[in-house]
Amino acid sequence: MGTESENNGVLKEGFLVKRGHVVQNWKVRWFVLKSDRLLYYKYEGGKRDSCHRGTIPLSVCKITCPYLEYENRPLVMKLQTSTSEEHFLEACTREERDEWAAAIGAVVQNLNPQNLHNVNLSQVVDSMYDVHTGVRLCSHVEQGSSYTNCFSGSAVVDWLVFNKLALTRVEAVTLASALLDEASLRPIGIRSADALRNAALGEQFLDDSTALYCFSQSFQKRGSVKAEKSRSAVELSGKVVKRGYLLKQGHKVKNWKVRLFVLRAEPGFLHYYDPSKDDITPVGSISLRGCLVSALDDNGIPSGVKGKVQGNLFKIITQMDTHYYIQAPAHEERIDWIQAIRQLT
């Protein structure tokens, strides 16, 4: 633990949910990315602790993004350090997760310019899937069976090398094997399926024009928002307009807690979730019809607010005259949230 008083050298910062090492629960932490490490802090009482809780060294760090082992947490990435210590981090959106993975990957690449294995697998598959520039989908016949919307192993290797995602065909096979591991690609037909079963004998992906593969059926669902059980079918039927981590003051106990807020339109509702739990039901909801939303003065502590909060506060007053006090992590985010909510009131 240490005090991090200087802000210079901060490449990216924000909330992520981290799985604990000893007790494997999930807790929100404020992460700060530096040129050689990732620091994380507790964020309590509306402000960040001055001492960071931990450090993740990024030299020779391996990034797995997306990490799909947690069924109720599809937006997780895994960092594995040089000492094989694993850190599991969850973002609030797929875009945010991929931005963090890209930023961390750039730091790792700068620390290890010759290391070509810190690849964001999510971005590779997105590029492969691109209708204009991705891997060309074809129809193939293998031993009398016809397969559509597929591609050969050698076509994938060609594409990876051509797009400079791998320097050599051997490296491209390693990368394609990782995509199989992550279930982004799957084998179809006898040749590729046999290779996967015999993977212990060597690389599981075949650089071969007769070995066939296709995109996993779950690809388009990957990174989707948490599936939500019915709270109210009408409430949760609206289109998701905005998602993000904000701090909310409790109604009974006036403490501040980080919540995942999801803003929906038609009908206009603001739902909030406890990101430390796997529970996929909102812990609360705010009907936005007839609501008033306004920024609170950053000078001093506004009326109704408890604790030494760090500014960027706003208030929502519902038609039923319930007052919600919310804090954004940055001034720009407060403006964005207020504008988005006002459009739905």
Side-chain angles (χ1 to χ4, degrees):
M1 319 260 174
T3 301
E4 191 70 21
S5 58
E6 54 188 353
N7 281 328
N8 53 336
V10 174
L11 302 175
K12 184 174 176 63
E13 59 183 336
F15 286 119
L16 292 170
V17 184
K18 178 182 178 296
R19 198 194 77 175
H21 279 302
V22 182
V23 180
Q24 295 188 351
N25 52 1
W26 295 81
K27 291 190 176 178
V28 178
R29 295 289 180 253
W30 182 264
F31 280 79
V32 176
L33 179 62
K34 297 276 193 163
S35 60
D36 62 348
R37 63 199 187 280
L38 190 60
L39 306 172
Y40 53 93
Y41 300 78
K42 287 185 75 172
Y43 206 103
E44 291 185 329
K47 61 188 177 70
R48 189 188 86 181
D49 282 359
S50 57
C51 293
H52 60 273
R53 302 283 295 176
T55 302
I56 303 174
L58 296 179
S59 179
V60 201
C61 179
K62 182 182 177 185
I63 305 166
T64 304
C65 180
Y67 183 78
L68 302 174
E69 295 301 310
Y70 296 105
E71 185 178 347
N72 287 335
R73 294 180 179 272
L75 302 176
V76 171
M77 59 182 160
K78 181 177 83 171
L79 306 183
Q80 184 174 335
T81 68
S82 57
T83 59
S84 295
E85 189 174 47
E86 294 181 334
H87 300 271
F88 300 92
L89 311 177
E90 182 187 38
C92 61
T93 65
R94 179 176 167 180
E95 292 75 21
E96 183 74 8
R97 178 200 65 195
D98 291 348
E99 283 175 16
W100 271 104
I104 294 168
V107 167
V108 174
Q109 193 65 42
N110 286 337
L111 293 170
N112 311 279
Q114 302 306 314
N115 187 353
L116 297 167
H117 302 291
N118 298 292
V119 179
N120 185 330
L121 297 180
S122 171
Q123 292 179 353
V124 172
V125 184
D126 284 346
S127 300
M128 288 178 68
Y129 206 81
D130 189 282
V131 68
H132 300 297
T133 59
V135 175
R136 187 160 166 257
L137 298 177
C138 301
S139 296
H140 289 269
V141 176
E142 183 187 34
Q143 295 188 7
S145 297
S146 180
Y147 301 96
T148 58
N149 294 325
C150 60
F151 34 78
S152 69
S154 56
V156 172
V157 171
D158 287 344
W159 185 88
L160 290 170
V161 173
F162 177 78
N163 286 278
K164 297 184 172 58
L165 291 166
L167 291 181
T168 65
R169 298 189 76 84
V170 171
E171 193 176 281
V173 167
T174 301
L175 179 52
S177 295
L179 295 175
L180 274 179
D181 261 348
E182 295 294 322
S184 299
L185 302 181
R186 64 183 179 89
I188 56 172
I190 298 167
R191 185 100 169 81
S192 56
D194 283 347
L196 189 58
R197 279 193 290 271
N198 298 323
L201 302 177
E203 294 289 1
Q204 58 186 356
F205 190 90
L206 291 181
D207 180 5
D208 190 315
S209 62
T210 64
L212 303 180
Y213 300 89
C214 67
F215 290 114
S216 169
Q217 290 178 344
S218 65
F219 169 71
Q220 293 185 58
K221 299 176 184 175
R222 181 172 45 82
S224 61
V225 300
K226 292 178 178 178
E228 287 145 336
K229 296 173 183 173
S230 63
R231 172 190 176 79
S232 155
V234 175
E235 271 189 36
L236 296 171
S237 66
K239 177 187 174 186
V240 174
V241 175
K242 189 171 176 62
R243 292 165 56 90
Y245 295 121
L246 299 168
L247 288 101
K248 175 187 167 292
Q249 181 176 273
H251 283 299
K252 295 175 183 174
V253 180
K254 305 292 185 182
N255 54 356
W256 289 84
K257 290 187 177 178
V258 179
R259 294 288 182 244
L260 171 63
F261 278 80
V262 179
L263 180 63
R264 290 181 169 88
E266 299 177 8
F269 271 88
L270 186 61
H271 295 99
Y272 50 95
Y273 300 75
D274 183 348
S276 68
K277 294 194 169 89
D278 279 341
D279 190 5
I280 50 182
T281 305
V283 295
S285 66
I286 305 170
S287 173
L288 298 179
R289 177 178 290 182
C291 270
L292 298 174
V293 56
S294 59
L296 298 179
D297 193 349
D298 283 342
N299 296 318
I301 299 176
S303 173
V305 172
K306 303 293 182 184
K308 296 179 181 178
V309 292
Q310 286 182 323
N312 303 319
L313 292 160
F314 62 97
K315 178 168 71 170
I316 299 174
I317 305 175
T318 69
Q319 249 182 344
M320 305 299 290
D321 200 36
T322 303
H323 293 226
Y324 291 88
Y325 296 94
I326 299 170
Q327 181 188 35
H331 177 72
E332 298 76 16
E333 290 189 53
R334 175 173 70 173
I335 294 172
D336 290 346
W337 274 101
I338 290 175
Q339 288 177 344
I341 293 169
R342 278 180 177 162
Q343 289 177 358
L344 301 179
T345 58

